[in-house]
């Protein structure tokens, strides 16, 4: 049985940003044999032969180049180190079908090959000069793969799509802050992949001066971090799209990398009491499968004692030899040391925190505390705050949350289900919405380019509530769940599945908005009113829905679930919600 299936309840919550992992491997259909015009000569590297696919709605031909290596295999002495650019090859490399994924701890995963640093390029014209969209997948920096994000929706428009892979989990983010295991290897992989795009995308018909980098959840947090890193050249991209994630989230940074590395080493079979140099030697030599499986075991232990903000092997490292970040992202903001030339679009899903609540519910069920009314009345909010990274001994934060999001009857009931709407708002605010809004506000303050903000509010036929698992035991719905927006940007659950008429229209709208931003710098669609850029700390912002509409105060999104419940009773939570989120922001480090 996979370690993921053995985790105790609260810890299972709490493998939190595995949320972005698609529920199935998705492979765009192929036509065979591939004609000669699918062969591209990558200057300085060699020839690659792609395959053919088609767009989902108009059957336009896509030339598909899967898993082109941008770096040498990070094996042997290269494990944990900065990537090394790929060497040239002599023969024509066949990249017509998806290749290996990076090692990760998922049930049924037998891929343990560290040689996974590659990117996929999808184009309709190898001689064009089209805008480029580079996607960085999420998955808590320890899950995910390029193949799970096929091109068949986005390529309806005239863009080139690039989807990159990077080292995951301990292989990409373990650190002892030494030259042996410096940390941030996965981030350095992303930078090298973006450098590859600058050097070679022209051979696929792309314009290296018109690159938009976009990502969801942990992918968005990685992009956000690049905006503050001194290692990231401003020439690599000029636009970003952040979907439900930011680098100022508590879960994005590993605050104790050395101690966490030693703990992971213990679960991988190394002697945790040995000198650090010996532990490093063990980590360099331990089997890939043992190292990858050690992460969820470490996470399970850490969640129960320290919360989700102190997990090693899947977070950014501040300082150390990698040089990626010398200080926390917020410190760069406070010093005014941020990029000033980036056009940004970013947003959230309406119930972005419901996946966290699922984990809490499962944990309380496992501990037989779901019906403990005293615990739910007096301790539940403090537990959620602590596990999501905001410990508050004074009780002030919980007090603001209670006043803003729960009625007296909710609290007196001691009933989890009666409180669930407010709990979804609390989790969404801390884990996703507040960090995302920080990035938006920073860009408005420092960038001379436009900044666009949204809330994805559309309820479609499909949902990622439960991520493919049975959700029938939850006595509540997941709402507009974390990553539901990606359903309309990438085929879900597979290319053969067709969206219904209404969902197809929403997908067309989403594709319009994302690609028009990449093409012209302004998100536009005939189904959406004129989208005004953010001009203050509160908005305006777009409600992506049917019909779409502009909102004026994004702080209302922090109480949107509780407000919907309470509107029938005539309760106005807007002002109280603002106080609540201000308390959260003041707590942030």
């Amino acid at each position: 049985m996979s370690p993921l299936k053995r985790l105790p309840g609260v810890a299972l919550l709490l493998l939190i940003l595995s949320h972005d992992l698609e529920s199935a491997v998705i492979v765009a259909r192929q036509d065979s044999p591939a004609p000669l015009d699918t062969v591209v000569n990558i200057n300085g590297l060699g020839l690659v032969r792609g395959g053919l696919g088609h767009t989902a709605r108009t059957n336009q031909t896509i030339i598909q180049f899967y898993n082109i290596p941008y770096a040498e295999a990070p094996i042997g002495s290269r494990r944990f180190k900065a990537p090394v650019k790929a060497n040239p090859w002599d023969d024509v490399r066949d990249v017509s079908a998806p290749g290996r994924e990076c090692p990760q701890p998922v049930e049924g995963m037998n891929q343990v090959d560290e040689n996974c640093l590659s990117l996929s390029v999808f184009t309709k014209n190898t001689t064009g000069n089209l805008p480029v969209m580079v996607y960085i997948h999420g998955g808590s920096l320890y899950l995910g793969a390029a193949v799970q994000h096929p091109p068949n929706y986005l390529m309806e428009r005239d863009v080139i799509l690039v989807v990159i892979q990077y080292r995951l989990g301990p292989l990409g983010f373990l650190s002892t802050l030494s030259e042996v295991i410096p940390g941030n290897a996965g981030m350095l992989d992303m930078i090298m992949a973006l450098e590859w795009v600058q050097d070679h995308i022209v051979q696929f018909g792309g314009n290296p001066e018109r690159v938009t980098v976009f990502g969801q959840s942990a992918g968005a947090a990685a992009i956000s971090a690049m905006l503050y890193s001194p290692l990231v050249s401003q020439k690599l991209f000029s636009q970003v799209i952040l979907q439900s994630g930011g680098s100022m989230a508590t879960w994005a940074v590993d605050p104790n990398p050395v101690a966490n590395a030693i703990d992971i080493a213990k679960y991988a079979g190394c002697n945790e009491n040995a000198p650090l140099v010996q532990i490093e030697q063990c980590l360099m030599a331990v089997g890939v499968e043992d190292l990858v499986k050690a992460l969820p075991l470490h996470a399970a232990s850490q969640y129960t004692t320290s919360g989700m903000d102190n997990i090693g092997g899947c977070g950014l490292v501040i300082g150390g030899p990698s040089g990626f970040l010398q200080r926390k992202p917020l410190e760069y903001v406070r010093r005014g040391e941020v990029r000033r030339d980036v056009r940004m679009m970013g947003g959230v899903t309406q119930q972005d925190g419901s996946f966290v609540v699922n984990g809490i519910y499962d944990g309380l069920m496992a501990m037989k505390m779901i019906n403990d009314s005293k615990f739910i009345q007096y301790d539940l909010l403090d537990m959620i705050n602590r596990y999501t990274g905001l410990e508050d001994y004074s009780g002030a934060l919980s007090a603001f949350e209670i006043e803003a999001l729960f009625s007296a009857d909710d609290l007196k009931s001691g009933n989890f289900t009666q409180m669930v709407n407010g709990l979804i708002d609390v989790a969404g605010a801390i884990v996703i919405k507040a960090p995302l809004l920080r990035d938006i506000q920073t860009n408005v303050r420092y960038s001379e380019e436009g900044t666009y903000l949204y809330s994805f509010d559309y309820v479609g036929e499909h949902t990622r509530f439960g991520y493919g698992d049975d959700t029938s035991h939850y006595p509540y719905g997941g709402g507009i769940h974390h990553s539901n927006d990606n359903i309309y940007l990438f085929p879900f659950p597979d290319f053969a599945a067709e969206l219904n008429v209404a969902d197809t229209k929403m997908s067309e709208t989403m594709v319009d908005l994302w690609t028009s931003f990449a093409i012209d710098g302004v998100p536009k669609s005939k189904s959406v009113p004129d989208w005004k850029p953010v001009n203050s700390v509160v908005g305006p912002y777009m409600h992506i829905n049917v019909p779409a509409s502009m909102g004026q105060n994004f702080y209302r999104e922090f109480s949107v679930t509780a407000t919907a419940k309470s509107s029938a009773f005539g309760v106005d939570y807007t002002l109280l919600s603002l106080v609540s989120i201000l308390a959260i922001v003041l707590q942030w480090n």
Side-chain angles (χ1 to χ4, degrees):
M1 182 178 291
S2 165
L4 291 179
K5 295 296 184 182
R6 294 200 297 262
L7 296 181
V10 171
L12 183 59
L13 138 77
L14 281 167
L15 278 178
I16 170 160
L17 299 171
S18 61
H19 39 272
D20 333 284
L21 186 66
E22 307 292 345
S23 62
V25 171
I26 304 170
V27 179
R29 68 185 181 193
Q30 303 267 330
D31 288 346
S32 180
L36 293 177
D37 61 0
T38 61
V39 175
V40 168
N41 184 10
I42 307 176
N43 289 346
L45 289 176
L47 297 169
V48 291
R49 177 182 290 111
L52 296 183
H54 296 86
T55 62
R57 298 176 184 119
T58 61
N59 205 38
Q60 298 178 66
T61 299
I62 305 171
I63 310 174
Q64 305 180 142
F65 302 88
Y66 288 100
N67 294 90
I68 303 170
Y70 63 83
E72 288 296 293
I75 59 177
S77 62
R78 291 176 180 160
R79 178 183 276 187
F80 305 126
K81 306 299 193 302
V84 175
K85 286 188 176 183
N87 290 322
W89 53 85
D90 294 325
D91 298 329
V92 179
R93 185 184 288 266
D94 186 352
V95 293
S96 61
R100 63 177 62 89
E101 304 169 17
C102 286
Q104 51 195 281
V106 296
E107 191 167 9
M109 168 62 73
N110 56 13
Q111 176 58 262
V112 293
D113 192 340
E114 294 177 70
N115 185 14
C116 64
L117 298 185
S118 65
L119 51 79
S120 299
V121 180
F122 306 100
T123 181
K124 292 183 291 186
N125 180 4
T126 58
T127 62
N129 189 37
L130 296 176
V132 182
M133 299 183 72
V134 181
Y135 186 75
I136 299 178
H137 70 76
S140 193
L141 301 178
Y142 75 94
L143 295 170
V147 72
Q148 295 156 358
H149 301 88
N152 313 86
Y153 292 168
L154 289 168
M155 294 297 293
E156 291 285 359
R157 304 295 181 263
D158 290 332
V159 296
I160 287 178
L161 177 64
V162 179
V163 187
I164 71 173
Q165 292 191 160
Y166 53 94
R167 279 171 283 182
L168 301 169
L171 292 166
F173 295 93
L174 201 71
S175 177
T176 56
L177 297 179
S178 72
E179 296 292 344
V180 179
I181 310 178
N184 295 319
M187 297 306 304
L188 302 184
D189 295 342
M190 297 178 202
I191 295 172
M192 182 168 286
L194 290 171
E195 292 171 344
W196 187 100
V197 170
Q198 287 297 305
D199 293 339
H200 302 298
I201 201 62
V202 68
Q203 281 109 56
F204 296 85
N207 185 342
E209 296 181 359
R210 300 173 68 191
V211 174
T212 299
V213 186
F214 70 122
Q216 192 265 343
S217 196
I223 297 167
S224 165
M226 285 191 241
L227 297 177
Y228 307 106
S229 173
L231 299 185
V232 179
S233 168
Q234 296 191 17
K235 295 181 180 179
L236 294 183
F237 53 86
S238 58
Q239 302 191 150
V240 299
I241 303 175
L242 308 180
Q243 298 174 225
S244 298
S247 61
M248 288 179 238
T250 56
W251 48 264
V253 172
D254 180 357
N256 298 296
V258 178
N260 285 330
I262 293 171
D263 195 56
I264 289 172
K266 173 186 67 177
Y267 288 107
C270 302
N271 180 3
E272 64 177 314
N273 297 314
L276 182 60
V277 64
Q278 294 181 17
I279 294 175
E280 291 174 331
Q281 291 171 354
C282 179
L283 288 168
M284 288 290 293
V286 72
V288 179
E289 189 172 359
D290 290 335
L291 182 58
V292 168
K293 289 181 176 180
L295 176 60
L297 300 176
H298 157 78
S301 173
Q302 288 296 99
Y303 279 131
T304 58
T305 58
S306 304
M308 60 174 290
D309 63 328
N310 191 25
I311 307 302
C314 58
L316 304 172
V317 174
I318 307 302
S322 78
F324 179 71
L325 288 173
Q326 299 300 333
R327 55 185 69 92
K328 290 182 179 180
L330 185 55
E331 291 302 312
Y332 285 100
V333 175
R334 288 170 174 167
R335 294 167 179 250
E337 299 173 359
V338 297
R339 289 179 51 155
R340 305 176 66 89
D341 63 339
V342 177
R343 188 175 290 110
M344 179 180 288
M345 183 168 83
V348 300
T349 66
Q350 193 173 82
Q351 277 74 45
D352 237 329
S354 56
F355 73 96
V356 182
V357 175
N358 289 357
I360 293 169
Y361 182 87
D362 288 341
L364 294 178
M365 285 287 289
M367 296 185 294
K368 304 186 185 304
M369 296 177 64
I370 195 66
N371 295 316
D372 185 338
S373 60
K374 295 297 184 184
F375 175 86
I376 290 173
Q377 283 180 310
Y378 291 99
D379 299 317
L380 180 58
L381 272 176
D382 281 338
M383 186 194 80
I384 293 176
N385 290 335
R386 182 172 66 256
Y387 280 121
T388 53
L390 292 184
E391 182 77 277
D392 173 33
Y393 296 101
S394 74
L397 178 58
S398 296
F400 281 121
E401 291 168 338
I402 290 169
E403 182 68 7
L405 300 171
F406 303 95
S407 69
D409 289 340
D410 290 337
L411 201 61
K412 289 176 182 178
S413 73
N415 183 288
F416 187 97
T417 304
Q418 189 166 332
M419 296 179 65
V420 74
N421 287 351
L423 299 177
I424 288 172
D425 284 336
V426 169
I430 297 173
V431 175
I432 303 294
K433 294 185 179 183
L436 183 282
L437 185 58
R438 280 276 194 168
D439 275 319
I440 292 291
Q441 292 168 335
T442 299
N443 211 60
V444 172
R445 181 178 181 181
Y446 290 107
S447 176
E448 297 178 1
E449 303 292 343
T451 303
Y452 299 87
L453 178 61
Y454 69 87
S455 175
F456 184 79
D457 300 346
Y458 178 73
V459 179
E461 178 183 8
H462 302 287
T463 180
R464 292 182 174 170
F465 180 51
Y467 302 109
D469 292 335
D470 182 12
T471 59
S472 61
H473 67 290
Y474 296 120
Y476 55 87
I480 303 164
H481 190 260
H482 188 71
S483 81
N484 270 16
D485 48 347
N486 263 2
I487 292 172
Y488 307 95
L489 294 171
F490 303 101
F492 177 84
D494 56 47
F495 183 72
E498 295 185 1
L499 301 177
N500 64 31
V501 173
D503 289 0
T504 296
K505 290 181 178 178
M506 174 51 64
S507 178
E508 291 171 347
T509 296
M510 291 287 284
V511 168
D512 281 344
L513 294 173
W514 263 240
T515 58
S516 64
F517 180 77
I519 294 168
D520 299 321
V522 178
K524 294 174 292 189
S525 174
K526 63 182 179 181
S527 303
V528 172
D530 185 24
W531 191 336
K532 303 294 185 184
V534 181
N535 57 24
S536 73
V537 296
V538 299
Y541 66 104
M542 181 65 69
H543 291 281
I544 300 178
N545 202 351
V546 179
S549 62
M550 290 298 296
Q552 299 304 315
N553 184 352
F554 191 77
Y555 283 112
R556 294 177 180 177
E557 299 307 314
F558 292 80
S559 63
V560 65
T561 314
T563 301
K565 173 187 174 184
S566 302
S567 59
F569 302 98
V571 179
D572 183 359
Y573 281 89
T574 301
L575 178 59
L576 296 177
S577 173
L578 178 57
V579 174
S580 177
I581 189 55
L582 286 176
I584 292 174
V585 172
L586 288 172
Q587 290 272 332
W588 219 270
N589 288 317

